């Protein structure tokens, strides 16, 4: 157990990725690789194999330990893809990255069970699901069959409602209730490694998202490792009158705050800048 700046004692967490035990006592950076033409800030830049490999190489060199591969954008009004379309878009990028960078950890960002099966056979290490198993009834059992770590995110119950703002009496309490109930379901069917994501950018007001930043230490009540994904999110840039590419300084201040409260994975577009923040945080511990 290690103390943080806030005085918390942090529990030890790890995850088993295809037989490789990953120690989360030192937080990890997850670099975002969007294989999409319509993601809100980098759509179309990395949706072919050559550019995807170059971006992966850059993110790994900059300090990412996990590469999160997303075949489908989930921004507001994005195109909805079936599992078959996701699989077509993924092609052989997972196995190709594994061949080029065998020590890399890869996650697939999907809510479809068939995409999970395909990605697992291609060599994926982690399942990152924005839907909490709500958009495909076979998703949870498929994850259990793979034995892979699973990122469980808080989100509204349907695809069409995922971005509808909800009025919470207390957003942290509501998010915890949802995540811990889903985690119990997962544990019952044999999913052993669960990472919690409070779901920044999905159906929450600007105020509620800042409240979750301030209360990151309470997400999951210390029972599971927590992933924070605030990179280029509108709750940061819109109130400032800026664009998603113009908020690095503000984002890194928030990254440092959540690290100090025990966040174990930062999901980011700007890996090099997040690595500087992580190093600053680690230096402060000693």
């Amino acid at each position: 157990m290690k103390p943080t700046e806030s005085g918390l004692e942090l529990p030890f967490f790890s995850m088993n990725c295809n037989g490789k035990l990953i120690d989360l006592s030192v937080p990890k950076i997850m670099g975002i690789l969007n294989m999409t033409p319509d993601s809100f800030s980098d759509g179309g830049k990395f949706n072919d194999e050559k550019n995807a490999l170059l971006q992966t190489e850059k993110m790994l060199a900059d300090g990412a330990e996990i590469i999160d591969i997303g075949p489908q954008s989930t921004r507001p009004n994005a195109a909805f893809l079936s599992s078959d379309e996701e699989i077509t878009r993924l092609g052989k990028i997972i196995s190709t990255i594994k061949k080029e960078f065998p020590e890399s950890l890869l996650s697939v960002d999907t809510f479809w069970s068939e995409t999970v099966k395909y990605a697992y056979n291609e060599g994926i290490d982690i399942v990152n699901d924005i839907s909490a198993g709500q958009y495909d009834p076979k998703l949870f059992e498929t994850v259990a069959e793979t034995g892979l770590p699973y990122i469980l995110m808080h989100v509204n119950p349907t695809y069409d409602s995922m971005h509808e703002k909800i009025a919470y009496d207390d957003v942290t309490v509501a998010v915890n209730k949802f995540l811990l109930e889903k985690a119990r379901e997962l544990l019952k069917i044999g999913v052993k490694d669960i990472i919690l994501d409070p779901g920044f950018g999905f159906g929450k007001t600007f105020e509620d998202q800042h409240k979750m930043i301030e209360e990151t230490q309470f997400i999951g009540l210390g029972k599971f490792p927590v992933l924070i994904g605030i990179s280029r999110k509108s709750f940061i840039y819109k109130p400032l009158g800026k664009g998603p590419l113009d908020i690095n300084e503000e984002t890194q201040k928030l990254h440092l705050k959540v690290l100090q409260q025990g966040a174990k994975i930062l999901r980011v577009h700007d890996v090099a800048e997040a690595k500087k923040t992580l190093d600053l945080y680690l230096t402060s511990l000693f």
Side-chain angles (χ1 to χ4, degrees), residues 107-137:
S107 61
V108 64
D109 185 352
T110 184
F111 46 76
W112 293 121
S113 56
E114 290 302 318
T115 303
V116 170
K117 291 177 185 178
Y118 175 80
Y120 176 66
N121 289 330
E122 286 288 296
I124 212 75
D125 300 290
I126 302 166
V127 176
N128 181 17
D129 169 29
I130 64 134
S131 80
Q134 297 176 112
Y135 304 167
D136 180 342

Side-chain angles (χ1 to χ4, degrees), residues 95-110:
S95 55
T96 300
I97 292 174
K98 277 292 184 181
K99 182 178 179 181
E100 293 292 323
F101 309 104
E103 296 304 310
S104 62
L105 294 174
L106 304 182
S107 61
V108 64
D109 185 352
T110 184

Side-chain angles (χ1 to χ4, degrees), residues 216-231:
T216 297
Q217 66 198 59
F218 302 118
I219 300 297
L221 305 178
K223 298 179 183 296
F224 302 94
V226 173
L227 176 150
I228 297 294
I230 59 173
S231 181

Side-chain angles (χ1 to χ4, degrees), residues 171 204-214 235 239:
V171 67
K204 301 170 183 76
T205 65
F206 294 167
E207 294 79 11
D208 278 346
Q209 291 179 92
H210 281 288
K211 178 178 169 66
M212 291 198 306
I213 291 283
E214 297 297 328
F235 82 97

Side-chain angles (χ1 to χ4, degrees), residues 23 26 33 39 55 80 90 118 150 166 223 225 241 284:
D23 177 7
V26 175
L33 182 65
S39 290
Q55 179 66 359
F80 175 80
L90 285 169
Y118 175 80
Y150 174 73
I166 304 296
K223 298 179 183 296
S284 73

Side-chain angles (χ1 to χ4, degrees), residues 148-209:
L148 296 178
Y150 174 73
I151 298 170
L152 168 67
M153 195 187 88
H154 177 273
V155 72
N156 294 340
T158 67
Y159 179 90
D160 290 337
S161 71
M162 74 165 77
H163 291 293
E164 289 180 6
K165 298 293 189 292
I166 304 296
Y168 295 105
D169 291 332
D170 187 312
V171 67
T172 306
V173 170
V175 166
N176 269 340
K177 184 176 186 295
F178 175 92
L179 290 175
L180 293 175
E181 286 178 355
K182 290 291 183 182
R184 278 193 289 271
E185 290 181 37
L186 288 158
L187 291 169
K188 283 182 181 178
I189 62 172
V191 178
K192 295 181 173 62
D193 294 314
I194 302 168
I195 300 99
L196 304 184
D197 178 348
F200 287 92
F202 290 86
K204 301 170 183 76
T205 65
F206 294 167
E207 294 79 11
D208 278 346
Q209 291 179 92

